Every structure is written in structure tokens, then in C-alpha cells.
Amino acid sequence: MDAKILVVDDEPEIADLVEVYLQSEGFTVFTCGTGAEALACVAGQTLDLAILDVMLPDLSGFTLCSEIRRDHHFPVLMLTAKSEDMDKITGLTIGADDYMTKPFNPLELVARVKAQLRRYTKYNETDRAADSRDIIDFNGLVINRNTHECWLYDEALSLTPIEFDILWMLCENRGQVISAERLFETVWGEKYLDRNNTVMVHIRRLREKMHEPSRNPRFIKTVWGVGYKVD
């Protein structure tokens, strides 16, 4: 798999370890020790994925992720020593696609990187012919699975691959209630664990991008104790 990956960590031994494992899989790796170096790399390279440490000497990984999300949609994986739920929620809310805590298993990290790249590549294949099954259009919302584009009342929505997958799955099953467990296992491709609030955070982020009121959303509705649905 040929892809360019940015690794941002101020601990050289961690950055070197990640670089070695990723290079062994054929990836091109750029390592940076500060947020400023990382932003310069993002501006000068066409990247496919970024792995960001939260604790950096000049700015936080959360700030760096927010800056990346202004203009880029490639997957972002947060890699940090922090394990508190609030840190995870913060990372996911600002646009991160995945989250791992230190110490970590390098093989698991590589597996997650590959999973994110497969999803990202899937939605950036623009050379295959589109058909009606690739487009959902109702009530002012238009989603094109072929081009990974989404509009709401003619306003383009900037969605991450994870957000796009969630919205597509809900709209494709319009009228049905989809549980958080089913959403997580389908979109992330991993086993759902109790007290996993990852789906909830991404639903909240989707509603914000769609300018949906939290108490009475028009599109993504919460069925308490059951899951989510789009009418």
C-alpha cells in the first residue's frame, strides 16, 4: 500500500518506532517533533494520513488537528499518553478519526492505519462510474458516495470519512433505527464495547456541521435507549 503518512511526536524513540513499523509496510513516513514542523509538512506534501501526539512542545495535538481539518480530509489518528474519556471526546469532536493511548502495540497501530487508509481510499476513487445507488437525495440533503461529497440546502458539508460513513449508513437505512453498536461495528470495523461513546461524539459533530438544533434535530434523531435514525 503506497501512502504518505505524517507522524508527529516530540519523543524521538516513539516517532522512530512508529516510522520503522510503517516503513516495513511500504509507507512513506514524515516525522516531526513540533506542531510548526508538522504544519509545514502538511502544506508542502500531499499526505494520506496523520498520526498526532497530543502533548507537543509548541501547541497541542488538538490544535494541530483543528488546523489540519480546515483544508484537509485525510484520516487523523491521535496517539497520546492521555487516556481520560474527555481527551478522547475532544480529539474526536475536532475531527480525529481514531484514538490510541501509550503504551501501544505497534502492530495494532499499523492495523488501524491500514483500516483508515482503506476507508479514505474507497471514498476518493473518482474514476469509477457513478450510478443511482451512489447518490441519496431527499429533503435538501444530497450525498454522493462516488465522489464523497455532501450538500445540505446547496451548502457543501466538509465531512471526514468517518462522518460520511455514519451519515450514509443512516440515510441508506432511512426510517430504521440503527443502534450505536451496529454503527460502530460497521463503520469502524471493530468490536463494540460497553460505554463506548465514540458514535455519540461523531453524531454530535455531524449535527453541528449540519446546523442541527441539539434538542429537535431535523435529520439525525436520537431514539433513546435504542440508537439513531434519519426520517
Side-chain angles (χ1 to χ4, degrees):
M1 185 181 295
D2 184 20
K4 295 181 179 180
I5 299 177
L6 171 65
V7 177
V8 187
D9 200 306
D10 62 342
E11 297 182 70
E13 61 275 15
I14 298 295
D16 291 345
L17 176 66
V18 174
E19 181 179 18
V20 167
Y21 272 84
L22 292 176
Q23 286 181 338
S24 69
E25 296 294 328
F27 298 120
T28 299
V29 182
F30 302 90
T31 60
C32 297
T34 68
E37 292 175 356
L39 289 175
C41 183
V42 170
Q45 297 289 337
T46 301
L47 300 171
D48 298 291
L49 184 140
I51 301 173
L52 312 180
D53 185 28
V54 168
M55 304 300 292
L56 297 172
D58 53 347
L59 73 164
S60 74
F62 297 141
T63 301
L64 179 55
C65 182
S66 295
E67 289 296 319
I68 290 174
R69 278 289 171 256
R70 291 178 185 271
D71 301 302
H72 303 280
H73 303 300
F74 56 75
V76 173
L77 189 152
M78 306 299 293
L79 183 63
T80 175
K82 292 190 173 183
S83 59
E84 292 84 352
D85 285 344
M86 187 53 63
D87 291 313
K88 181 175 182 178
I89 291 173
T90 300
L92 296 174
T93 299
I94 62 177
D97 298 280
D98 204 354
Y99 192 103
M100 288 188 69
T101 56
K102 302 174 183 176
F104 60 91
N105 184 328
L107 295 177
E108 180 185 355
L109 175 62
V110 170
R112 293 197 183 195
V113 165
K114 288 181 176 180
Q116 291 295 335
L117 287 173
R118 282 195 297 269
R119 182 180 295 113
Y120 180 61
T121 301
K122 174 183 176 182
Y123 287 110
N124 281 276
E125 294 175 344
T126 57
D127 56 342
R128 62 189 179 94
D131 59 42
S132 60
R133 293 171 298 176
D134 290 317
I135 299 175
I136 294 175
D137 184 353
F138 72 99
N139 293 343
L141 179 66
V142 180
I143 313 174
N144 189 323
R145 185 167 60 176
N146 185 53
T147 61
H148 193 211
E149 294 175 311
C150 181
W151 299 269
L152 181 59
Y153 307 128
D154 295 325
E155 175 189 352
L157 301 183
S158 179
L159 304 183
T160 66
I162 289 288
E163 292 165 351
F164 189 94
D165 281 3
I166 292 174
L167 185 59
W168 179 271
M169 184 174 178
L170 289 172
C171 291
E172 191 175 37
N173 295 277
R174 185 179 171 191
Q176 302 179 35
V177 180
I178 308 297
S179 68
E181 177 179 0
R182 181 181 169 191
L183 272 170
F184 185 85
E185 294 186 351
T186 300
V187 173
W188 276 265
E190 300 177 12
K191 183 66 177 176
Y192 182 86
L193 302 176
D194 291 339
R195 299 183 62 188
N196 188 331
N197 53 19
T198 302
V199 172
M200 177 191 69
V201 172
H202 279 81
I203 292 290
R204 183 174 67 189
R205 182 66 173 169
L206 263 173
R207 285 172 173 162
E208 290 175 355
K209 290 186 175 183
M210 297 172 73
H211 312 295
E212 290 262 75
S214 58
R215 294 195 174 186
N216 188 29
R218 178 180 179 186
F219 287 97
I220 305 176
K221 301 183 184 298
T222 300
V223 181
W224 294 108
V226 184
Y228 304 93
K229 70 173 181 176
V230 168
D231 288 326

